[in-house]
PDB file of all heavy atoms in Angstrom:
ATOM      1  N   CYS A1375     111.161  75.701 101.152  1.00 83.00           N
ATOM      2  CA  CYS A1375     111.339  76.184  99.732  1.00 83.00           C
ATOM      3  C   CYS A1375     112.645  75.754  99.094  1.00 83.00           C
ATOM      4  O   CYS A1375     112.803  75.892  97.870  1.00 83.00           O
ATOM      5  CB  CYS A1375     111.358  77.676  99.795  1.00 83.00           C
ATOM      6  SG  CYS A1375     109.806  78.374 100.214  1.00 83.00           S
ATOM      7  N   LEU A1376     113.665  75.236  99.796  1.00 82.00           N
ATOM      8  CA  LEU A1376     114.880  74.894  99.243  1.00 82.00           C
ATOM      9  C   LEU A1376     114.701  73.841  98.176  1.00 82.00           C
ATOM     10  O   LEU A1376     114.039  72.836  98.336  1.00 82.00           O
ATOM     11  CB  LEU A1376     115.899  74.324 100.276  1.00 82.00           C
ATOM     12  CG  LEU A1376     116.482  75.384 101.240  1.00 82.00           C
ATOM     13  CD1 LEU A1376     117.470  74.698 102.151  1.00 82.00           C
ATOM     14  CD2 LEU A1376     117.123  76.510 100.414  1.00 82.00           C
ATOM     15  N   GLY A1377     115.243  74.154  97.008  1.00 80.00           N
ATOM     16  CA  GLY A1377     115.181  73.138  95.902  1.00 80.00           C
ATOM     17  C   GLY A1377     113.986  73.343  95.030  1.00 80.00           C
ATOM     18  O   GLY A1377     113.737  72.623  94.120  1.00 80.00           O
ATOM     19  N   GLU A1378     113.028  74.228  95.539  1.00 82.00           N
ATOM     20  CA  GLU A1378     111.863  74.366  94.747  1.00 82.00           C
ATOM     21  C   GLU A1378     111.984  75.517  93.765  1.00 82.00           C
ATOM     22  O   GLU A1378     113.015  76.259  93.856  1.00 82.00           O
ATOM     23  CB  GLU A1378     110.644  74.717  95.603  1.00 82.00           C
ATOM     24  CG  GLU A1378     110.397  73.715  96.748  1.00 82.00           C
ATOM     25  CD  GLU A1378     109.818  72.295  96.179  1.00 82.00           C
ATOM     26  OE1 GLU A1378     109.480  72.309  94.980  1.00 82.00           O
ATOM     27  OE2 GLU A1378     109.654  71.404  96.977  1.00 82.00           O
ATOM     28  N   LYS A1379     111.044  75.622  92.863  1.00 83.00           N
ATOM     29  CA  LYS A1379     111.117  76.663  91.899  1.00 83.00           C
ATOM     30  C   LYS A1379     110.659  77.993  92.464  1.00 83.00           C
ATOM     31  O   LYS A1379     109.829  77.989  93.430  1.00 83.00           O
ATOM     32  CB  LYS A1379     110.251  76.358  90.655  1.00 83.00           C
ATOM     33  CG  LYS A1379     110.625  75.121  89.965  1.00 83.00           C
ATOM     34  CD  LYS A1379     111.511  75.417  88.736  1.00 83.00           C
ATOM     35  CE  LYS A1379     111.828  74.160  87.933  1.00 83.00           C
ATOM     36  NZ  LYS A1379     112.742  73.212  88.729  1.00 83.00           N
ATOM     37  N   ILE A1380     111.203  79.063  91.960  1.00 83.00           N
ATOM     38  CA  ILE A1380     110.811  80.358  92.528  1.00 83.00           C
ATOM     39  C   ILE A1380     109.279  80.609  92.442  1.00 83.00           C
ATOM     40  O   ILE A1380     108.632  81.162  93.282  1.00 83.00           O
ATOM     41  CB  ILE A1380     111.565  81.581  91.804  1.00 83.00           C
ATOM     42  CG1 ILE A1380     111.171  82.941  92.270  1.00 83.00           C
ATOM     43  CG2 ILE A1380     111.384  81.457  90.320  1.00 83.00           C
ATOM     44  CD1 ILE A1380     111.668  83.243  93.641  1.00 83.00           C
ATOM     45  N   ALA A1381     108.660  80.146  91.398  1.00 82.00           N
ATOM     46  CA  ALA A1381     107.206  80.316  91.243  1.00 82.00           C
ATOM     47  C   ALA A1381     106.435  79.557  92.327  1.00 82.00           C
ATOM     48  O   ALA A1381     105.386  79.965  92.684  1.00 82.00           O
ATOM     49  CB  ALA A1381     106.750  79.843  89.893  1.00 82.00           C
ATOM     50  N   ASP A1382     107.022  78.506  92.910  1.00 84.00           N
ATOM     51  CA  ASP A1382     106.360  77.722  93.941  1.00 84.00           C
ATOM     52  C   ASP A1382     106.524  78.414  95.295  1.00 84.00           C
ATOM     53  O   ASP A1382     105.726  78.046  96.238  1.00 84.00           O
ATOM     54  CB  ASP A1382     106.881  76.341  93.942  1.00 84.00           C
ATOM     55  CG  ASP A1382     106.562  75.571  92.726  1.00 84.00           C
ATOM     56  OD1 ASP A1382     105.550  75.884  92.093  1.00 84.00           O
ATOM     57  OD2 ASP A1382     107.363  74.660  92.327  1.00 84.00           O
ATOM     58  N   VAL A1383     107.459  79.280  95.426  1.00 84.00           N
ATOM     59  CA  VAL A1383     107.596  79.931  96.771  1.00 84.00           C
ATOM     60  C   VAL A1383     106.393  80.533  97.205  1.00 84.00           C
ATOM     61  O   VAL A1383     105.954  80.492  98.337  1.00 84.00           O
ATOM     62  CB  VAL A1383     108.856  80.871  96.675  1.00 84.00           C
ATOM     63  CG1 VAL A1383     108.817  81.660  97.969  1.00 84.00           C
ATOM     64  CG2 VAL A1383     110.117  80.143  96.455  1.00 84.00           C
ATOM     65  N   MET A1384     105.678  81.213  96.239  1.00 84.00           N
ATOM     66  CA  MET A1384     104.431  81.928  96.667  1.00 84.00           C
ATOM     67  C   MET A1384     103.376  80.912  97.068  1.00 84.00           C
ATOM     68  O   MET A1384     102.591  81.198  97.980  1.00 84.00           O
ATOM     69  CB  MET A1384     103.910  82.695  95.415  1.00 84.00           C
ATOM     70  CG  MET A1384     104.746  83.949  95.168  1.00 84.00           C
ATOM     71  SD  MET A1384     104.837  84.841  96.673  1.00 84.00           S
ATOM     72  CE  MET A1384     106.214  85.866  96.352  1.00 84.00           C
TER      73      MET A1384
END
Side-chain angles (χ1 to χ4, degrees):
Chain A
C1375 293
L1376 284 187
E1378 304 288 354
K1379 299 265 184 292
I1380 176 75
D1382 295 329
V1383 170
M1384 285 308 159

